[in-house]
Structure formats: C-alpha cells, structure tokens
Amino acid sequence: MAKIEIINGTMSVPSNPTIPFIKGDGVGPEVTLATQKILDCAIAKAYSGERKIEWMEVPAGGSAFEKYGTYLPDETMEAFKEYHIGIKGPLMTPVGGGIRSLNVALRQGLDLYVCLRPVRWFKGVVSPVKHPENVDMVIFRENTEDIYAGIEWEQGTPEAQKFYAFLRDEMGVTKVRFPETSSFGVKPVSIEGSERLIRSAIQYALDHNRPSVTLVHKGNIMKFTEGGFKKWGYELAQREFPEALASGRLTIKDCICDAFLQNALLKPEEYSVIATLNLNGDYVSDMLAAQVGGIGIAPGANINYSTGNAIFEATHGIAPDIAGKDVVNPCSNLLSAVMLLEHIGWNEAGALVEAALEKSFSEGYATADLARFMPEGKPMKTSEFTEHIINIISAQA
C-alpha cells in the first residue's frame, strides 16, 4: 500500500495512494459507492490510467458497533493518522453515554481544527435567491473550540448550583436572572485556536487569489471570546502578512454574525473567504448552502494544515428514511471527494467531475431532490445518476 507522506511540511503523493474511507450509516454506503465509481473514472480519464486511488475501508458508526462493540475503533483513528488523508460518509449519533458525536470525536482526536466549506453555484440548480451565481465563498469554521469544547451543567443539578455559587460568591456575578432554574454553559476560545484557524484562512486566500478574509463574530456581546477572535485575527494579519496587506493583495475585515447573515443574502459578492468560530460557522455554512441549492450539494472537509491530516465528508445526515431506496443525492460526498483531489494536487480529475455535474444539472438531469425544482427536471435514481456522470466524464475530450 502506497502512503501519502508529509515530509518537512510538504505533502508527497504517490501515483496510487491508499485512502482510508468510512462507508457511513443510513445512506452512507450508497453515496460512498457512487463517489468511488465516479472518482475512479475521473482519475483514469485525467491521467490515462497512470494514477489510481487504492480504497481502504475502515470501520466506524453503527456497523462498527455491531461488529466490535465500539462506534469508533482505535484502528480507525490510527489509519487516518498513518495515511493522513481520508473520506467518510455520514455517521449516526450514538445513543446513550460515551461519544456524544462521532464527527466531533474524529475532529478532536485528529485535531482537525479547520472545517472547510466551499460554497458555489452550479448552473442549472434551482436556488431560492435571484442571483446564486454571486455566491462564491469559502468558509473556515473553527473545529475544536467554542461549543465543540463547551462545558454544560443542567439546571437543578448540584453541579449547576455549585457553579452558580462560585459565580455569585467568588466572581461577584449578579446578573443571572433566574439562577435556581438556569442551566449554565462555558465555551473556551483561545488565542492559539483562533490564530491557527485565521492563519489558515488568510493563507488560503493568498494561495487562491481571493481578495478578502472576513472575520465573522458576535464580539459586540461576547467581548472576550468572540471579540477576542476578531482582535487576535487583525493582530495576526498585521504581524504575519504585512506585505500582502500593504500591497492590496489581501483585505481583512470583520462583520457581526447576524449582520453577515443578512449581507450574505443581499450582497454576497462582497465576501470571499470567511473565518469564524464553531457555532457561527454552523449557521453560516448551512445558510449559504441553501442559497446555491441546499446541503445536498454542499461539500466539506476537516483539516489540520500543520500535520497534513484531513478527512473529507458529506455534510448531510444519515437519512435513514431513504436508505437503500436508490434515491439519495451523492453530490455532497462527491464534491467533498473533489476537494480531496484538489488537496492532494490532482486538480485535473476534480475539474472533470465538476464539469460533468455542471453539464448534467444544466440539462436537467439530477437526483429527485434537485430535479423536482428544475423547469425541465429529469429525476434519476442514485445509480442512474452515477452512471450518467461517468458517461459524461468518459465522453469529455
């Protein structure tokens, strides 16, 4: 098995890298199969058979629990560390104690501090906004702090009472309105966590010739967490990227989150790269995805730019109500795989997939969730859509 190596901070990719993958739960196996078939075709076409991904399945989720008694076996974590790059389908949320979220466990266990969500429109996809073509943003959502590292105490418990007593007696806090019936939460936001996220966003903007990075925050109210994020971002840009700022190659700006959600609808062309904290990023990512056709075509990745580790993933859930019915839209997982190809430098193969999707959508061919909104929509089963995209790729010059 050929491995992707990270040597002195540089990625070395063999012609046949082994990529670990998790099929996922619910519709996961279907979108995974479709993705692998289309990627294999695009890679063979782009590189005349000289490059190939060796897919290596690793267990996680419901099927892993049935077989191993754990939702996330240690060997799965080790495989992602060893091979650096992986992809996964959607995973169920475990019931009961233990892991609160498998996705969060993977992100924190591998310290994948960037949740990367590019948002763009494909011609032919129906959107609720008049000019979806103006939406072209890349979201850098902090992935390890804020609510992902949040600490909570439920109302009425001894822990909540003890916490409030500390606030009242030791910290002099008097503004809790209803202390006896309040739950409490604490969210950590650090300089280190904020800076590495914002640094990655700025470097991405420079590497991809994007004009601006916008720090989206709620610092007008949460002055030392979200306000700190904004402050540290400006300071980092001035300290580490002064030439880019001075030359005009890069603009750093900020926006209060609620104002950004409005502005992104009214004037999306004013935004390019977004850097934001975890909870804001959750809202922003899904709202922007809705503007270009929905989460079904929204890709995502979780990346540590220092170690080189990255996991690419479908951004939707397991959809058990349609699992096994051959109707799921595989495009979120597929476009996440395109991000994987771009991440390892196989841009030509990724471009073939995107071009095929654009052609298919512009002609009205899509899975039912998208086709039903198209004026001349032609709904296709998952398997039919997969073969349709493969045929388009194969026919490209």
Side-chain angles (χ1 to χ4, degrees), residues 96-327:
I99 298 174
R100 182 169 59 178
S101 164
L102 292 171
N103 293 326
V104 175
L106 283 166
R107 294 164 188 171
Q108 292 187 333
L110 297 168
D111 197 26
L112 305 176
Y113 59 86
V114 170
C115 178
L116 185 66
R117 294 280 297 270
V119 183
R120 55 153 291 193
W121 179 67
F122 284 89
K123 184 179 179 181
V125 175
V126 175
S127 163
V129 299
K130 289 184 178 180
H131 294 289
E133 68 277 7
N134 291 340
V135 180
D136 183 12
M137 300 184 213
V138 181
I139 304 149
F140 279 71
R141 173 192 178 195
E142 207 290 319
N143 225 4
T144 62
E145 295 194 311
D146 194 18
I147 62 167
Y148 269 8
I151 308 155
E152 292 188 297
W153 297 277
E154 186 179 4
Q155 69 85 23
T157 61
E159 292 81 6
Q161 294 169 1
K162 185 177 181 179
F163 181 71
Y164 174 67
F166 171 77
L167 291 178
R168 180 191 62 212
D169 301 337
E170 302 295 328
M171 303 297 291
V173 173
T174 60
K175 60 183 179 180
V176 180
R177 292 290 304 276
F178 306 106
E180 299 304 319
T181 58
S182 291
S183 295
F184 296 94
V186 174
K187 68 172 195 176
V189 176
S190 70
I191 294 176
E192 294 90 341
S194 298
E195 284 190 344
R196 65 182 185 172
L197 182 281
I198 295 164
R199 180 182 297 112
S200 298
I202 292 174
Q203 192 60 59
Y204 181 97
L206 294 173
D207 291 344
H208 293 81
N209 296 314
R210 286 181 167 264
S212 68
V213 174
T214 303
L215 308 173
V216 174
H217 61 92
K218 192 64 178 172
N220 58 326
I221 302 299
M222 291 173 276
K223 298 185 183 300
F224 304 121
T225 51
E226 308 240 351
F229 179 85
K230 167 193 166 184
K231 173 177 176 287
W232 302 325
Y234 277 114
E235 291 173 350
L236 173 102
Q238 291 289 349
R239 184 174 69 248
E240 297 188 11
F241 300 93
E243 293 182 4
L245 291 172
S247 67
R249 282 186 62 208
L250 177 71
T251 298
I252 303 293
K253 53 189 177 179
D254 73 276
C255 190
I256 303 297
C257 189
D258 48 309
F260 175 80
L261 293 173
Q262 174 182 251
N263 294 345
L265 280 168
L266 297 176
K267 44 186 179 182
E269 64 277 2
E270 293 190 4
Y271 300 101
S272 181
V273 175
I274 309 302
T276 190
L277 287 164
N278 186 271
L279 183 58
N280 295 333
D282 205 4
Y283 301 147
V284 166
S285 297
D286 283 6
M287 186 275 289
L288 289 175
Q291 289 184 234
V292 298
I295 202 168
I297 53 171
N302 304 284
I303 303 173
N304 183 316
Y305 285 98
S306 300
T307 64
N309 293 336
I311 297 179
F312 299 80
E313 64 178 354
T315 58
H316 55 71
I318 66 173
D321 56 319
I322 61 170
K325 295 182 179 179
D326 200 20
V327 297

Side-chain angles (χ1 to χ4, degrees), residues 318-347:
I318 66 173
D321 56 319
I322 61 170
K325 295 182 179 179
D326 200 20
V327 297
V328 64
N329 180 354
C331 288
S332 176
N333 201 68
L334 177 59
L335 287 168
S336 299
V338 169
M339 292 176 67
L340 186 157
L341 293 177
E342 293 171 348
H343 189 73
I344 65 174
W346 292 13
N347 297 47

